[in-house]
Amino acid sequence: TVAGAFLLLFLGLQSTIFAQNKTKILEISVEGNIQAKTPLVINQSGLQLGSLLSMDNTSEAIKRLWSLDIFDDIRITTEQQEDGINIIIHVKELPAINTFKLEGFKEIKEQDIIPAIDIAKNRAIGNRKIAKMNKQILDLYYEKGYRAATVDIKLTPVAQDSIPRVDVLISMHEGHKVKVKSITFEGNKNISSSKIKKIMDTKEDHWYSSGEYKQEALEKDKEKIVSFYKSKGYRDASIYSDSLTINHKNDTAKIILTINEGQQYKFGKTTFQGNSIFKESELRPFILYKEGDIYNEMLVGRAWQEITVHYNDSGHLRAQINPIQTVNNDSIDIEYDIAEDTISKIAKVIIQGNTKTQDKIIRREIQLLPGDSFNRTKFEESARNINLLNFFGGEKGKEGVEPTYSLDENGKDVNLIYKVSEKQTGVASIGGGYSERDKLVGTLSFSNGNLFGKGQSFNTSVDMGSTRKSYQIGFSEPWLFDTQTSFSFTLYNIEQSDNSYVYDQERRRGGYIRLGRKLSWPSDSRAYVSYRLEDINYTNPSITYLYYLQTGKTSALSFMLLRDTRDDPTFATDGSRTSATIEVAGGPFGGDFSYYKYLLNDEFYTPLFWNLSFCNRSRIGFLKGYDQNTYVTYSERFMPGGTSYDGFVRGYSNRDVGPILDGAAIGGETMLINNFELQIPIVNRMVYALAFYDIGNAWRNLSETNPFDVKRSAGVGARVSIPGIGLIGFDVGYGFDKLEGVDHVSGWHTHFQFGNMF
C-alpha cells in the first residue's frame, strides 16, 4: 500500500541515508515493469541524476507515478554508495483490459456510455478506475431519473504470457424511474407553495404530469425559485437546504426545500455617476421602474443591458456600467456608475468559413466598414442579414453565422469576425403525386439559391401528368451592377386540362421581370416594381363560364412594398414579414384584360415558453375590373384552399374554397385567409412539429364579402430539413365546413411536399 511504502522508505532513509548525509542520486533503475517503459517511469517520477534525494521529492515522485493510474503498487528503495545513492523504483502494474462487454443498457446506448467512462482495450484497470466508472455510469442514470440503478463491474483474469490481462463485464441494472411523490417547502411565509410549484419543471406525479425526478432539472428549479423571489423584491432569498428521500420499494421520492426568504425591498432612488456623453435625461428612459416599486433584480439587469447597448451603439465598446446597490432600510438605492472610455473604431472586418460564397456577397450585407465607429445594433443586424441569405446553416440546427469581435493590437479598436458555415443551396427534386384536380403528376425541378457562390439564384422545373404540363425557368440577381438593386425574371408555359365540363384545356404562356431596391426607411424594407405579360387561351370553354373563361393577353404592372424582420428565412421564431402589392392590368399598359388587384400579406412570429413559437399569417385580397359590369378573368380570381398559392386552408382540396358555379370553382374577387400555427421545435432549425388552425374564404364580389362566413380547418404537421435531401413537409387537416354546393363537410385531407438537396 501507499502508507506501507512511505513507512519503509522513511525507516530506510533514516537509518542509512540521512544519517550519513550522502544523498546525491547516482543511478535510477526500475523493477517490476512489464508494459510501462523504463524511461517513462523515470521521467514521470521527476527524480534526476545528480540531484539530492529528500523526503519531499521522494513523496512527490510516488504521487506522480500514481497519477498514471497504471500501477497497483509503488515502492522506492536505495542502495548506498561511497559518493551517493542508487535509486530503485519497484512497481507492480495493474492488469490491462483484454476485452470488455456491456449488458443491460437500454435507456442509455452503449455508444454513449463507452466514451463517457473512457474504457478501451489494453487500458489499465484497477480499483480506482472501477470506482470512477461506477460513479460516471450512475451519474448518467441519476440525471435521467433512474435513482435505483446499480452497476456491477466484474474482472476475469486471462492467462496471456507474462502480461496480466482481464476481461471486463459491466452489468447494468437500470431499475425504474423515480417518481416525485411530493414537493414540500419550508420557510416560505410570503409566497405560497402552489405559486412556487408552477414555475418548476419538476412536478409531482399526477395523471396530468409524469412526475419524473431528474437531478439536473431540480438544480435548475432551485435557481428559478431564487430568481422568482428576487423578482418579487426578496433580494437576499436563497435555498437554505434541500433533502431528497427515496423509497426504493415503490421508486418514489419526497423533496423538501427550505427557503430563506429574507426581507422584501422596494426600489429607492436611482442616480447616475460618470456619464458625460449622455445626459441623465437620455439614460433615464432605460430605467423601467420607479421609486417605490417592488424591487426586481431582472429590471436592474435589463436597464444595465440597455444602457450598455446604448453606449456600444455610439462606439463606446469598452464602456463599463456598474449598478451599485445600497440597502437603505427597506429600500434599495441604485447608482449606475459609468466608465465611458473612448470610442472604438472598426479595424478589420474578417469573414471566415466560406469556401464557396464569395467574400463580397457576405460583405455587402455588413453595415459596418473599417473606420466606422463600433455599433452593436448594426453588428448584430449584419449577422441577421447574412443569415437571411439562406446560404448558411450549422450542424444539428445551429446558427449558420457566428458573429464575434476582438480588440485590435492597439487594444482600442475592434476587429469584427463573422464565421459562417455553408450549407448546400442546390435543390433538385424528382417525384410524383396525385390530386383530385391534376390527377397523376410527375415533377422534375432544379434550383440553386447561390449560383457559383455569387448570390444569384436559378430555378427550372418540369411537371408532366395526365392533365397538366408545366415548364418554368427563372433567374435572380440580388445586387445588379453591385448596387442594392435586384433584378429577376421568370418564363413559363402551363397547359392544364380540366377534369370536368368547364373547359377542355387552359394554356398560359408568359413571364415577368422585376426590379427591387432596398429602402433606408423603414429598416429591413424593399420596394419592387414588376411587369408581367401573359397569353391565356381556353379550348372549348363551356357556355356557362364564358364570362370568366376569357382568352387574350394580360399586360400588368405591379408595385410591392416588403418588410422582413424574421430571425430565420426557413424556421422563423421571431419577427415578421409584411407585404403590400398593387397590380394594374390593361389601360395604358395594353392587353385584353383591364383590372386592378390589391394584396396584403402579413406573417407574425412570437416566441413563447419552452422554445415554442406562435405564427399568425394573414392574407387579404381584392380585385375588380375597370368596368363594373365586366367579370375578371378566371385565371386572376382568388382560389384558396389546401396549400394553394392564393392561400392555405388545409383540410380542403387545392383551390376549392370559394364561389362555385354549377359544381366547379370559379374563384372570387375578394379573399380573406388566416393561419394560426403553434411551432414546436424537435431539433433546432432542422425538425419541428406544428399544430394549425386555418380559416378563410373567397367571395364573388365585395357586396357578398362576409368575414364571418369562412371555412375552418385544424390539424397537425411536421417540417424536416435533411442535408442531402432537403425540406420535407407533411400536414393533415380536417375541414369542418361544407363547400358551396356540397352536402357534407370536407373532412380529412393530407398535404405533402418533398425536395432533394445536393
Side-chain angles (χ1 to χ4, degrees):
T1 64
V2 178
F6 273 113
L7 180 60
L8 291 173
L9 173 66
F10 178 77
L11 294 175
L13 292 175
Q14 285 291 320
S15 61
T16 62
I17 301 175
F18 296 110
Q20 300 176 36
N21 199 29
K22 294 181 179 180
T23 59
K24 183 179 180 181
I25 301 175
L26 302 176
E27 182 180 305
I28 304 174
S29 59
V30 181
E31 293 184 359
N33 56 315
I34 301 174
Q35 289 185 291
K37 303 298 183 183
T38 296
L40 169 68
V41 178
I42 295 175
N43 290 336
Q44 181 67 19
S45 73
L47 300 174
Q48 295 181 354
L49 298 178
S51 63
L52 298 179
L53 182 66
S54 67
M55 286 295 293
D56 289 339
N57 60 18
T58 304
S59 174
E60 183 63 26
I62 293 177
K63 289 180 181 179
R64 289 166 62 92
L65 291 172
W66 272 113
S67 68
L68 292 175
D69 206 17
I70 61 175
F71 299 120
D72 189 36
D73 188 30
I74 303 170
R75 293 183 300 112
I76 296 179
T77 62
T78 63
E79 293 179 352
Q80 186 66 44
Q81 305 295 323
E82 290 184 3
D83 53 351
I85 57 175
N86 294 336
I87 300 296
I88 304 101
I89 303 174
H90 304 270
V91 297
K92 180 182 178 182
E93 293 182 348
L94 290 170
I97 298 174
N98 182 56
T99 62
F100 65 88
K101 180 180 179 182
L102 284 70
E103 62 181 24
F105 290 88
K106 297 178 181 178
E107 292 300 322
I108 302 180
K109 296 179 180 179
E110 291 185 8
Q111 55 262 40
D112 296 325
I113 291 290
I114 291 173
I117 63 178
D118 191 25
I119 188 173
K121 188 176 180 180
N122 295 324
R123 291 276 180 87
I125 186 168
N127 291 333
R128 290 174 59 192
K129 177 65 174 177
I130 292 172
K132 185 178 180 180
M133 290 194 303
N134 192 299
K135 183 180 184 302
Q136 290 170 327
I137 293 172
L138 290 181
D139 284 347
L140 291 174
Y141 271 87
Y142 287 173
E143 287 177 6
K144 289 183 170 289
Y146 289 87
R147 300 291 298 191
T150 60
V151 185
D152 180 32
I153 301 178
K154 182 180 179 181
L155 306 184
T156 303
V158 178
Q160 283 191 1
D161 302 327
S162 59
I163 301 175
R165 295 185 180 275
V166 292
D167 290 334
V168 181
L169 175 62
I170 304 176
S171 300
M172 188 70 215
H173 307 281
E174 296 179 330
H176 298 286
K177 282 190 175 182
V178 172
K179 301 286 187 177
V180 179
K181 183 177 182 180
S182 64
I183 303 175
T184 305
F185 303 96
E186 296 178 352
N188 58 316
K189 299 178 181 179
N190 298 294
I191 298 180
S192 67
S193 297
S194 60
K195 288 184 178 180
I196 299 175
K197 289 180 181 180
K198 285 182 180 179
I199 67 170
M200 297 176 64
D201 290 330
T202 303
K203 303 294 184 183
E204 293 170 324
D205 184 25
H206 293 294
W207 64 269
Y208 52 83
S209 65
S210 65
E212 292 182 0
Y213 170 80
K214 293 183 179 180
Q215 181 65 32
E216 184 180 0
L218 182 60
E219 293 301 322
K220 290 182 179 179
D221 283 336
K222 287 155 61 175
E223 295 176 3
K224 290 170 68 174
I225 292 170
V226 172
S227 297
F228 180 66
Y229 263 93
K230 290 184 176 182
S231 72
K232 300 298 181 182
Y234 297 92
R235 176 176 176 264
D236 304 322
S238 63
I239 303 294
Y240 181 74
S241 66
D242 63 90
S243 67
L244 174 70
T245 304
I246 297 178
N247 185 337
H248 291 287
K249 292 182 179 179
N250 56 12
D251 295 322
T252 59
K254 293 182 179 180
I255 299 172
I256 301 176
L257 299 177
T258 303
I259 300 173
N260 177 21
E261 292 184 326
Q263 180 181 346
Q264 187 182 45
Y265 294 95
K266 296 180 180 179
F267 280 113
K269 297 183 181 298
T270 299
T271 57
F272 299 89
Q273 173 67 32
N275 56 303
S276 60
I277 299 171
F278 298 110
K279 299 178 181 179
E280 181 176 327
S281 59
E282 296 177 274
L283 300 178
R284 184 67 65 173
F286 298 118
I287 308 301
L288 302 179
Y289 55 84
K290 60 182 182 294
E291 187 174 351
D293 288 349
I294 296 298
Y295 174 83
N296 187 331
E297 192 170 76
M298 292 179 61
L299 295 180
V300 179
R302 189 177 301 175
W304 168 85
Q305 183 180 28
E306 293 294 333
I307 295 172
T308 300
V309 171
H310 190 59
Y311 269 94
N312 289 170
D313 284 352
S314 67
H316 295 269
L317 173 63
R318 294 168 295 161
Q320 299 293 320
I321 317 297
N322 182 24
I324 301 173
Q325 303 186 25
T326 304
V327 177
N328 185 9
N329 295 323
D330 64 343
S331 64
I332 297 178
D333 297 332
I334 301 177
E335 179 183 78
Y336 290 91
D337 185 27
I338 303 172
E340 296 176 327
D341 213 317
T342 56
I343 290 178
S344 295
K345 299 286 187 178
I346 307 300
K348 300 176 183 177
V349 178
I350 302 170
I351 299 172
Q352 300 175 343
N354 55 313
T355 58
K356 174 184 176 182
T357 306
Q358 296 179 4
D359 273 7
K360 75 172 186 177
I361 306 303
I362 302 173
R363 289 187 185 278
R364 64 195 186 191
E365 302 296 334
I366 299 174
Q367 301 178 25
L368 295 169
L369 299 174
D372 291 348
S373 297
F374 179 82
N375 184 303
R376 181 174 295 276
T377 298
K378 290 184 177 180
F379 170 65
E380 294 174 351
E381 285 182 353
S382 298
R384 175 182 162 275
N385 291 342
I386 296 171
N387 192 53
L388 286 175
L389 291 173
N390 207 21
F391 304 159
F392 311 106
E395 294 182 358
K396 296 184 178 180
K398 293 182 180 179
E399 289 284 356
V401 183
E402 298 180 20
T404 58
Y405 58 81
S406 63
L407 291 178
D408 196 34
E409 296 176 355
N410 59 18
K412 174 184 175 182
D413 295 330
V414 61
N415 297 322
L416 305 185
I417 304 170
Y418 293 93
K419 185 177 181 180
V420 300
S421 300
E422 290 191 308
K423 67 179 183 180
Q424 296 163 317
T425 56
V427 179
S429 65
I430 182 170
Y434 179 87
S435 70
E436 197 172 305
R437 173 183 174 84
D438 297 330
K439 301 302 180 183
L440 185 64
V441 177
T443 301
L444 175 64
S445 67
F446 166 81
S447 67
N448 194 321
N450 187 16
L451 195 63
F452 307 121
K454 296 182 178 181
Q456 301 166 337
S457 64
F458 172 80
N459 65 85
T460 181
S461 65
V462 177
D463 293 345
M464 300 292 290
S466 56
T467 64
R468 175 182 173 84
K469 294 180 181 178
S470 171
Y471 309 90
Q472 180 172 300
I473 186 170
F475 174 81
S476 176
E477 167 56 76
W479 284 67
L480 187 63
F481 307 124
D482 288 327
T483 67
Q484 293 189 1
T485 300
S486 63
F487 167 78
S488 63
F489 73 85
T490 296
L491 301 174
Y492 56 85
N493 182 13
I494 303 172
E495 297 178 5
Q496 175 73 54
S497 300
D498 190 38
N499 59 352
S500 65
Y501 47 86
V502 179
Y503 56 81
D504 288 344
Q505 186 183 70
E506 175 192 69
R507 183 174 183 179
R508 301 171 63 180
R509 292 182 298 177
Y512 67 83
I513 59 173
R514 183 170 73 172
L515 293 174
R517 183 76 178 179
K518 189 174 183 179
L519 303 179
S520 58
W521 185 90
S523 60
D524 305 305
S525 298
R526 298 188 72 92
Y528 295 94
V529 58
S530 304
Y531 174 74
R532 177 168 63 97
L533 181 63
E534 179 183 83
D535 180 70
I536 187 166
N537 180 69
Y538 293 99
T539 303
N540 194 25
S542 170
I543 191 172
T544 307
Y545 303 95
L546 283 180
Y547 291 112
Y548 301 100
L549 303 178
Q550 302 176 41
T551 295
K553 290 182 174 60
T554 299
S555 178
L557 190 70
S558 64
F559 302 89
M560 181 174 73
L561 290 176
L562 170 68
R563 186 166 191 258
D564 190 346
T565 64
R566 295 174 300 170
D567 59 348
D568 188 89
T570 305
F571 295 124
T573 59
D574 196 5
S576 63
R577 186 180 191 275
T578 303
S579 66
T581 304
I582 300 174
E583 183 179 60
V584 179
F589 307 111
D592 299 311
F593 307 116
S594 299
Y595 65 87
Y596 50 92
K597 179 189 291 187
Y598 304 98
L599 278 174
L600 179 63
N601 295 281
D602 182 66
E603 299 177 23
F604 189 79
Y605 298 87
T606 305
L608 304 175
F609 51 89
W610 296 336
N611 293 324
L612 303 180
S613 61
F614 176 75
C615 173
N616 175 217
R617 296 187 186 91
S618 300
R619 186 171 175 86
I620 300 173
F622 173 76
L623 66 91
K624 195 66 180 176
Y626 292 165
D627 185 348
Q628 297 296 317
N629 297 320
T630 302
Y631 290 98
V632 178
T633 182
Y634 177 84
S635 60
E636 302 298 336
R637 299 173 71 86
F638 299 120
M639 296 184 182
T643 54
S644 167
Y645 169 79
D646 285 334
F648 281 22
V649 189
R650 288 158 288 192
Y652 301 86
S653 296
N654 285 354
R655 297 169 57 87
D656 271 3
V657 172
I660 303 294
L661 180 62
D662 287 348
I666 57 171
E669 293 183 354
T670 59
M671 175 185 66
L672 173 62
I673 304 293
N674 262 297
N675 309 118
F676 305 95
E677 288 186 357
L678 178 65
Q679 300 179 345
I680 309 164
I682 308 300
V683 178
N684 187 37
R685 301 186 188 278
M686 289 187 69
V687 182
Y688 74 81
L690 58 89
F692 63 82
Y693 178 69
D694 298 338
I695 59 173
N697 207 350
W699 297 271
R700 284 178 174 81
N701 49 56
L702 186 60
S703 63
E704 292 186 10
T705 302
N706 180 0
F708 299 101
D709 174 25
V710 292
K711 308 306 178 186
R712 304 161 301 151
S713 69
V716 294
R719 300 291 184 270
V720 182
S721 180
I722 303 177
I725 296 179
L727 185 68
I728 297 177
F730 176 78
D731 296 325
V732 55
Y734 184 85
F736 297 103
D737 300 296
K738 302 175 182 178
L739 294 174
E740 186 177 319
V742 180
D743 60 359
H744 57 81
V745 300
S746 180
W748 292 104
H749 286 72
T750 58
H751 310 279
F752 180 76
Q753 61 186 26
F754 172 78
N756 181 47
M757 278 193 174
F758 67 91

